[in-house]
């Protein structure tokens, strides 16, 4: 019991002393060799050995605690700095960016004022050439306006001519509607007669079809009756088997009852003989009932085969009737289709007559439209084309005048635009340079913060790795010390 308590105490010390440093591990390993050397001088007392082991563990614990305090302080300081950067880094960047934005705005405003001052010298212009051009251009514009006025009058005349076409179209439309109404009236009456005729033909065909199908239905009913006669045999065999199984079950229950009575009445030899007789009786009854089932099954299957042969003969007779019936239905269909095709041909002839009459009316309308509308319209179109040509000529002359004026001023304007472009390009480069300078300053500040953060994170990861390694090394050292202690304890004296 004392050894168990002592072992639990040693394990508790090992669990509590898991943090470790590499230096302490090396010293601990050096010290664990000493008990091996002491064994040479002679066995130690168990109490002294236990006290020495506890002292060594406590010494290591004290050294590891001192070492861990410095490591933990360094790790806490690093974590504090990282937390401070997470909390205030973005705000400091925004503050710095705001300061840079103010300085950048001042430089951009100064550059803009210099650019506007340089561009102001181009505002004054010499308008004498422009006035001369405007006078000549106005003469061409007045000529174009007069030609367009005459063209507009011609277009009004065209509208009057178009009204003539509208009147002719209205007269034609009225006449067509009247004739179409008469035609539709006749057509509807004819269609009504055709519907009545088609219905009469369809009714006659349907009557014939129903009569023939009714006869086929009588054959179908007879077939169903004959097929029904063949359906009950399997069910009868199954029912007979079920009834026989019930008889066998009742007989078996009686045998079991007698078996129970024999077990209570007879001893070993007599009981075995009685049970054998009961088993033989059960087997004989089972064989007899199975034979009855087999005889009944064969009798029913023979009857079923006889009925199925009757159905097969009936179906052959029915198929002959169906073929004759189908030929009669086909003949009725052909007669119906011939009557309907004849009626449809008459309707198509009536439609063709109407189409021919409409074509002749259309031709008369086209001749009248040519004389009263198209000839006058074509003359107006020719006049409008001439006016359009003159308008285009005047516009072309105006474009030529504008081209000459533009050519005269292009060289001067080109020089001015070139100088303005040079000034503007210089202004853009100044603005870009200012933008780049302040963007770079902001990027550098952000990069500096990221560099500091990376260094702190690297330091934190290194400290954590050191702490984890110390923990593993200390655990290994304590296991070694425990093993050495166990070996020495086996040879100590009480």
């Amino acid at each position: 019991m004392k050894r168990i308590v002592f072992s639990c105490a040693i394990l508790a010390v090992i669990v509590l002393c898991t943090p470790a440093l590499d230096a302490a591990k090396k010293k601990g390993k050096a010290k664990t060799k000493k008990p091996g050397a002491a064994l040479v001088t002679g066995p130690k007392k168990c109490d002294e050995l236990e006290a020495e082991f506890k002292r060594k563990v406590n010494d290591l614990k004290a050294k590891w605690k001192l070492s861990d305090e410095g490591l933990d302080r360094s790790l806490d300081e690093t974590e504090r700095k990282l937390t401070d950067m997470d909390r205030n880094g973005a705000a400091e960047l925004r503050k710095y960016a705001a300061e840079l934005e103010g300085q950048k705005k001042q430089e951009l405003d100064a550059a803009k004022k210099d650019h506007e001052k340089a561009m102001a010298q181009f505002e004054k212009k010499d308008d004498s050439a422009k006035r001369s051009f405007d006078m000549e251009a106005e003469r061409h514009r007045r000529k174009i306006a007069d030609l367009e006025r005459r063209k507009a009058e011609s277009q009004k005349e065209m509208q009057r001519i178009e009204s003539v076409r509208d009147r002719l179209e209205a007269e034609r439309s009225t006449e067509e509607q009247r004739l179409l109404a008469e035609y539709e009236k006749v057509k509807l009456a004819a269609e009504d007669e055709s519907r009545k005729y088609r219905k009469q033909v369809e009714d006659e065909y349907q009557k014939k079809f129903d009569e023939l199908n009714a006869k086929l239905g009588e054959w179908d009913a007879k077939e169903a009756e004959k097929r029904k006669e063949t359906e009950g045999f399997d069910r009868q065999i199954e029912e007979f088997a079920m009834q026989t199984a019930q008889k066998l079950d009742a007989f078996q229950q009686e045998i079991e009852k007698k078996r129970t009575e024999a077990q209570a009445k007879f001893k070993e030899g007599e009981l075995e003989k009685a049970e054998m007789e009961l088993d033989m009786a059960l087997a004989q009854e089972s064989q007899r009932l199975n034979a009855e089932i087999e005889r009944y099954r064969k009798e029913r299957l023979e009857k079923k085969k006889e009925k199925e042969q009757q159905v097969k003969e009936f179906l052959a007779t029915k198929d002959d009737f169906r073929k004759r019936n189908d030929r009669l239905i086909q003949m009725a269909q052909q007669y119906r289709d011939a009557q309907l095709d004849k009626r449809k041909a008459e309707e198509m002839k009536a439609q063709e007559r109407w189409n021919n009459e409409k074509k002749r009316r259309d031709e008369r309308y086209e001749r009248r439209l040519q004389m009263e509308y198209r000839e006058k319209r074509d003359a107006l179109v020719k006049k409008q084309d001439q006016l359009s040509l003159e308008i285009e000529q005047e516009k072309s002359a105006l474009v030529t005048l504008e081209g000459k004026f533009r050519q005269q001023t292009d060289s001067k304007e080109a020089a001015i635009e070139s100088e303005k472009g040079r000034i503007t390009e210089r202004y853009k480069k100044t603005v870009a340079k200012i933008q780049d300078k302040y963007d770079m300053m902001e990027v550098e500040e952000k990069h500096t913060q990221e560099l500091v953060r990376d260094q702190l994170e690297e330091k934190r990861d290194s400290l954590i790795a050191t702490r984890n390694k110390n923990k593993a090394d200390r655990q290994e050292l304590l296991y070694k010390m425990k093993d050495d202690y166990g070996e020495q304890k086996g040879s100590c004296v009480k």
Side-chain angles (χ1 to χ4, degrees), residues 80-140:
R80 185 190 63 76
K81 291 179 180 179
L82 284 171
T83 302
D84 183 66
M85 290 190 72
D86 290 338
R87 186 179 300 145
N88 302 319
E92 291 177 358
L93 274 178
R94 289 194 296 272
K95 181 179 178 182
Y96 182 70
E99 294 174 357
L100 293 180
E101 189 65 28
Q103 297 174 15
K104 182 174 69 175
K105 187 176 184 304
Q106 291 179 358
E107 293 191 26
L108 289 174
D109 290 344
K112 184 178 180 182
K113 288 181 181 179
D114 292 342
H115 176 257
E116 291 174 348
K117 183 177 179 181
M119 296 294 286
Q121 61 180 313
F122 301 107
E123 294 298 326
K124 296 181 180 180
K125 294 182 180 179
D126 182 9
D127 293 337
S128 59
K130 181 69 167 57
R131 287 193 295 272
S132 177
F133 163 75
D134 288 341
M135 290 177 62
E136 185 65 16
E138 182 61 23
R139 183 180 68 81
H140 285 290

Side-chain angles (χ1 to χ4, degrees), residues 1-167:
M1 180 61 73
K2 290 181 179 180
R3 295 188 64 182
I4 294 173
V5 172
F6 177 73
S7 298
C8 292
I10 294 301
L11 290 174
V13 171
I14 292 171
V15 172
L16 292 172
C17 298
T18 50
L21 292 174
D22 290 338
K25 176 188 172 187
K26 292 177 181 177
K27 292 179 181 180
K29 287 182 177 179
K31 289 181 180 180
T32 56
K33 294 179 181 178
K34 291 182 180 180
L39 292 174
V40 178
T41 61
K44 290 184 178 181
K45 290 184 177 181
C46 292
D47 294 340
E48 292 175 357
L49 184 62
E50 181 180 353
E52 183 182 354
F53 177 73
K54 289 183 177 180
R55 178 179 56 76
K56 289 179 179 181
V57 171
N58 290 332
D59 289 345
L60 284 177
K61 180 179 179 182
K63 291 177 181 180
W64 291 341
K65 182 178 181 183
L66 290 174
S67 178
D68 288 344
E69 287 177 355
L71 180 65
D72 290 341
R73 281 195 301 273
S74 180
L75 184 58
D76 291 341
E77 179 65 18
T78 303
E79 291 287 357
R80 185 190 63 76
K81 291 179 180 179
L82 284 171
T83 302
D84 183 66
M85 290 190 72
D86 290 338
R87 186 179 300 145
N88 302 319
E92 291 177 358
L93 274 178
R94 289 194 296 272
K95 181 179 178 182
Y96 182 70
E99 294 174 357
L100 293 180
E101 189 65 28
Q103 297 174 15
K104 182 174 69 175
K105 187 176 184 304
Q106 291 179 358
E107 293 191 26
L108 289 174
D109 290 344
K112 184 178 180 182
K113 288 181 181 179
D114 292 342
H115 176 257
E116 291 174 348
K117 183 177 179 181
M119 296 294 286
Q121 61 180 313
F122 301 107
E123 294 298 326
K124 296 181 180 180
K125 294 182 180 179
D126 182 9
D127 293 337
S128 59
K130 181 69 167 57
R131 287 193 295 272
S132 177
F133 163 75
D134 288 341
M135 290 177 62
E136 185 65 16
E138 182 61 23
R139 183 180 68 81
H140 285 290
R141 292 190 185 98
R142 286 196 297 271
K143 182 68 178 291
I144 292 171
D146 180 64
L147 290 170
E148 288 181 342
R149 177 187 58 78
R150 291 163 60 189
K151 185 178 179 180
E153 292 176 353
S154 176
Q155 289 173 342
K156 290 182 179 179
E157 179 64 16
M158 178 64 76
Q159 291 176 358
R160 189 190 67 79
I161 294 300
E162 292 292 337
S163 66
V164 172
R165 184 198 62 183
D166 294 340
R167 176 177 56 80

Side-chain angles (χ1 to χ4, degrees), residues 243-284:
Q243 293 171 2
T244 305
Q246 291 173 359
K247 292 178 181 179
L248 180 60
D249 183 60
F251 185 81
Q252 186 174 4
Q253 290 177 6
E254 185 65 26
I255 291 295
E256 292 301 324
K257 181 178 178 181
K258 291 179 179 179
R259 190 189 304 276
T260 302
E261 292 174 353
Q263 289 173 351
K265 181 178 179 181
F266 300 112
K267 298 299 181 179
E268 293 181 359
E270 295 177 347
L271 176 61
E272 182 178 356
K273 180 180 179 181
E275 286 183 341
M276 185 178 295
E277 290 176 353
L278 291 173
D279 290 338
M280 288 294 296
L282 179 61
Q284 290 173 359

Side-chain angles (χ1 to χ4, degrees), residues 347-402:
E347 293 172 353
M348 291 178 66
K349 288 181 180 179
Q351 181 66 45
E352 186 178 357
R353 287 194 298 273
W354 162 259
N355 292 338
N356 291 335
E357 292 174 0
K358 186 176 185 304
K359 182 178 179 181
R360 288 192 291 272
R361 290 197 301 273
D362 291 341
E363 290 173 352
R364 288 196 300 271
Y365 169 76
E366 286 297 321
R367 289 193 295 272
R368 186 179 179 188
L369 194 65
Q370 177 66 23
M371 291 184 296
E372 298 184 25
Y373 165 69
R374 290 200 181 98
E375 291 178 356
K376 296 178 181 179
R377 181 203 60 187
D378 293 344
L380 282 173
V381 169
K382 185 176 180 180
K383 180 179 179 181
Q384 287 180 355
D385 290 343
Q386 180 61 33
L387 290 172
S388 296
L389 177 62
E390 293 179 12
I391 290 171
E392 289 301 320
Q393 290 173 347
E394 287 297 320
K395 286 182 178 181
S396 177
L398 179 59
V399 169
T400 302
L401 180 65
E402 290 173 344

Side-chain angles (χ1 to χ4, degrees), residues 195-205:
R195 280 193 297 272
K196 292 178 180 178
Y197 180 76
R198 290 190 186 95
K199 187 176 184 308
Q200 180 182 350
V201 172
E202 289 288 349
D203 289 346
E204 291 175 358
Y205 165 74

